[in-house]
Amino acid sequence: GAGVSQSPSNKVTEKGKDVELRCDPISGHTALYWYRQSLGQGLEFLIYFQGNSAPDKSGLPSDRFSAERTGGSVSTLTIQRTQQEDSAVYLCASSLGQYPEQFFGPGTRLTVL
Amino acid sequence: AQKVTQAQTEISVVEKEDVTLDCVYETRDTTYYLFWYKQPPSGELVFLIRRNSFDEQNEISGRYSWNFQKSTSSFNFTITASQVVDSAVYFCALSELPPYTGANSKLTFGKGITLSVRP
């Protein structure tokens, strides 16, 4: 497919466990973004990648959250020692760089019990 | 700091009615981008339009039109002759104009407006 893909689509985990969320951006898109969507907070920016570098991590809510990107393509968002407040939909988006509009994946719905 | 306000939270209309979704923004940047995204029940955010801060021309695309007014910091979205398929959550968003190609264009979103179009 030509769009942004994310896996898994749903993840249920127990409090305290670690989770990894994956994003495959549109081929050739150099910029990659992670956002979080929750009922209380709306859509919030988490982190921005340009290539494999993350020059803006200002939205990561705590040091339990980290992300990496390899080969200028796939990105993984890792949440360690999950808490109930981490329950949300995690959205990944990519853009071509010369155009600022971002194209979003379907999201991963994370539920922490 | 940037802020986007969508004061309307839920709007319900009957099919074929026109509906306008309001968006007001705040930014200290002199150049910026504005966006509208649609999130249908399936959940995926769909890009609708981008405007540059230095281009205040209104735009029409089929049944959709956008009214950008810098003087009032508003970027409103009108759907003409609404259809049931227009039912979705609509988000207005703002980003700083990046200083170079590929620079950070992280989005600041409004809370979204839930539009329900009844047959």
Side-chain angles (χ1 to χ4, degrees):
Chain A
V4 177
S5 61
Q6 293 186 245
S7 61
S9 54
N10 278 285
K11 177 72 177 178
V12 180
T13 191
E14 293 179 350
K15 179 181 172 181
K17 302 281 191 183
D18 298 352
V19 296
E20 284 190 354
L21 312 180
R22 178 188 167 105
C23 171
D24 278 277
I26 294 172
S27 177
H29 280 197
T30 56
L32 186 147
Y33 302 80
W34 284 96
Y35 294 86
R36 180 167 73 172
Q37 185 173 23
S38 59
L39 280 176
Q41 301 301 319
L43 272 155
E44 305 171 284
F45 164 79
L46 296 178
I47 187 169
Y48 156 70
F49 285 93
Q50 181 57 237
N52 293 336
S53 301
D56 188 349
K57 307 179 184 179
S58 62
L60 293 178
S62 76
D63 58 9
R64 295 186 296 105
F65 287 72
S66 63
E68 65 173 12
R69 189 179 184 195
T70 56
S73 181
V74 172
S75 176
T76 302
L77 177 68
T78 301
I79 309 173
Q80 295 180 310
R81 305 180 303 281
T82 51
Q83 304 294 312
Q84 289 183 332
E85 60 262 28
D86 300 334
S87 295
V89 176
Y90 290 82
L91 295 165
C92 175
S94 68
S95 68
L96 192 50
Q98 64 196 95
Y99 302 108
E101 51 268 25
Q102 297 170 29
F103 296 90
F104 284 78
T108 294
R109 181 175 297 277
L110 175 66
T111 303
V112 181
L113 301 176
Chain B
Q2 299 182 333
K3 184 178 179 182
V4 176
T5 301
Q6 297 181 261
Q8 305 150 309
T9 54
E10 294 185 22
I11 300 175
S12 182
V13 298
V14 176
E15 208 169 18
K16 298 183 184 176
E17 283 185 31
D18 298 348
V19 58
T20 295
L21 310 181
D22 298 333
C23 174
V24 174
Y25 61 92
E26 296 174 32
T27 180
R28 285 180 288 189
D29 298 321
T30 54
T31 53
Y32 46 87
Y33 286 115
L34 293 162
F35 305 82
W36 276 94
Y37 282 85
K38 174 182 179 179
Q39 189 174 42
S42 60
E44 194 158 336
L45 277 163
V46 177
F47 166 71
L48 295 178
I49 191 170
R50 166 195 22 119
R51 300 300 289 171
N52 305 329
S53 55
F54 43 85
D55 181 3
E56 287 192 70
Q57 275 193 329
N58 292 329
E59 183 157 340
I60 298 174
S61 176
R63 296 185 297 106
Y64 296 169
S65 62
W66 290 270
N67 183 0
F68 175 31
Q69 292 198 344
K70 211 167 178 179
S71 60
T72 57
S73 298
S74 65
F75 184 41
N76 297 335
F77 173 28
T78 297
I79 302 174
T80 303
S82 59
Q83 300 177 359
V84 173
V85 293
D86 295 327
S87 297
V89 181
Y90 290 85
F91 292 94
C92 180
L94 170 69
S95 78
E96 176 184 342
L97 202 75
Y100 55 88
T101 297
N104 192 355
S105 293
K106 64 183 175 185
L107 297 170
T108 298
F109 285 91
K111 294 291 188 186
I113 302 169
T114 300
L115 174 65
S116 298
V117 182
R118 309 187 305 277

